[in-house]
Amino acid sequence: MIRLEQVTKIFPGASHPAVDRLDLEVPDGKTCVLIGPSGCGKTTTMRIVNRLIEPNSGRIVVDGEDVTRADPVQLRRRIGYVIQQVGLFPHMTIADNVATVPQLLGWPAERTKARVAEMLSLVGLEPAQFLARYPRHLSGGQRQRVGVARALAADPPVLLMDEPFGAVDPIVRASLQAELAAILQRLAKTVIFVTHDIDEAIRMGDLIAIMKDGHLVQCATPERLLSAPADSFVADFVGADRALKRLALTTAGEAASPGDAPPGSPVVDRSTSLRDVLSLLLASGADTVIVRGAGIVTLAAIRARAAAKS
């Protein structure tokens, strides 16, 4: 668990705090996305957790330990960190980049070697093809995968991610988001994820924390945030298409019900989001889709879900 208690940060010469008496709790194994306008304090908040930025006051508790009293170097070695620019060492092979923290922690060579191969496989990079390469030989998406592998190599309980996919193209970004979400769910890491993209926040977060002027305005599940924004600022920030965004949170398999579909109806997988089902129905002119192994979803049922209040 990560807990921030009344955390404040005032940079020298600033007229107001970058982070102002912030309380935030991220449960074990959950991903909390920090989002808000530029300058709202989201990146400062994340960097306070591993003390790349020192708070002026307040407590930071990680796994029950007040880390404001911990050695910051040792703290950072047990917190994974992924940034937009990736930060791979250009003169080191991919194998050596991923091995950085295990080597700093004094892991035996064979254990480190096995862990590097395991992490590359986890992020979809075949070890035999990538171990000996250098970062300059990789695409932007591949470098980002290596960055995630490096952050996970020492099996840290906590992971911090600062706009990790901001530098890759939209198609690669969507693929990386889906793969990372599956990895984090499987590994049960506790994650703070910073983004400026509300669609990414909805896709990645178990919780979304919206900040403004150093304050936490609302922290809630994506469903709750979209269905019951705390105020007009949150409503405007998440957008007027909140109902459509909510459809992205439900799969066709979850919404399917027994029934018969007209001949020629489109067919989708259970994992297809209702937002994508709606797009398919509108493009095809059909009013029903068949969900493989689950039943059917109708246009009327999607409309009812979009209009429902939680």
Side-chain angles (χ1 to χ4, degrees):
M1 180 184 69
I2 304 169
R3 188 169 69 249
L4 305 184
E5 301 174 354
Q6 291 290 291
V7 169
T8 296
K9 176 61 183 180
I10 306 173
F11 288 105
S15 59
H16 55 81
V19 177
D20 192 2
R21 293 168 292 174
L22 179 69
D23 290 318
L24 178 68
E25 185 169 309
V26 185
D28 287 338
K30 300 298 183 182
T31 296
C32 179
V33 178
L34 303 182
I35 190 169
S38 179
C40 70
K42 55 186 182 292
T43 297
T44 299
T45 298
M46 187 202 66
R47 291 180 179 174
I48 282 173
V49 173
N50 66 353
R51 291 177 55 200
L52 284 173
I53 293 175
E54 295 286 355
N56 295 95
S57 60
R59 289 207 320 154
I60 310 135
V61 180
V62 178
D63 285 343
E65 177 189 358
D66 182 355
V67 299
T68 52
R69 305 175 186 276
D71 177 83
V73 174
Q74 295 300 319
L75 173 67
R76 290 170 203 145
R77 290 178 182 175
R78 55 192 177 94
I79 294 180
Y81 189 40
V82 184
I83 60 176
Q84 177 176 328
Q85 296 81 13
V86 188
L88 300 180
F89 301 113
H91 62 287
M92 293 168 54
T93 65
I94 300 310
D96 288 337
N97 266 284
V98 177
T100 300
V101 176
Q103 288 174 343
L104 289 172
L105 294 174
W107 285 23
E110 284 304 310
R111 181 187 177 193
T112 299
K113 181 179 179 181
R115 183 64 174 177
V116 168
E118 179 187 357
M119 290 299 96
L120 286 178
S121 297
L122 182 70
V123 298
L125 298 176
E126 174 57 45
Q129 296 180 25
F130 289 92
L131 285 170
R133 294 189 187 182
Y134 288 84
R136 65 180 178 273
H137 299 144
L138 274 56
S139 69
Q142 289 170 336
R143 287 195 295 271
Q144 203 65 60
R145 291 171 188 267
V146 174
V148 172
R150 183 175 63 179
L152 293 171
D155 197 22
V158 170
L159 190 62
L160 306 179
M161 309 192 79
D162 188 4
E163 302 263 14
F165 307 136
V168 297
D169 69 72
I171 294 175
V172 173
R173 182 172 184 163
S175 173
L176 289 174
Q177 288 168 347
E179 292 174 19
L180 178 63
I183 289 170
L184 295 179
Q185 186 175 36
R186 185 159 74 251
L187 298 181
K189 300 297 180 185
T190 306
V191 183
I192 291 181
F193 188 112
V194 168
T195 184
H196 66 277
D197 184 336
I198 187 63
D199 288 320
E200 181 169 76
I202 291 166
R203 192 173 293 120
M204 297 300 302
D206 298 300
L207 295 169
I208 300 175
I210 295 189
M211 297 183 66
K212 178 185 179 185
D213 299 330
H215 295 277
L216 181 64
V217 182
Q218 184 174 6
C219 184
T221 64
E223 174 68 27
R224 182 66 179 169
L225 191 76
L226 293 172
S227 62
D231 58 21
S232 59
F233 170 78
V234 176
D236 290 342
F237 190 84
V238 299
D241 61 342
R242 295 197 306 275
L244 287 176
K245 288 185 171 76
R246 288 180 65 201
L247 293 178
L249 301 174
T250 303
T251 66
E254 293 167 339
S257 59
D260 296 322
S265 294
V267 180
V268 299
D269 292 326
R270 299 171 68 107
S271 60
T272 306
S273 75
L274 285 190
R275 187 171 182 173
D276 289 340
V277 171
L278 177 60
S279 296
L280 177 61
L281 289 175
L282 293 176
S284 66
D287 62 7
T288 305
V289 297
I290 300 168
V291 184
R292 290 187 181 93
I296 64 169
V297 174
T298 65
L299 186 57
I302 294 175
R303 285 174 174 157
R305 279 182 174 266
K309 303 289 185 182
S310 65

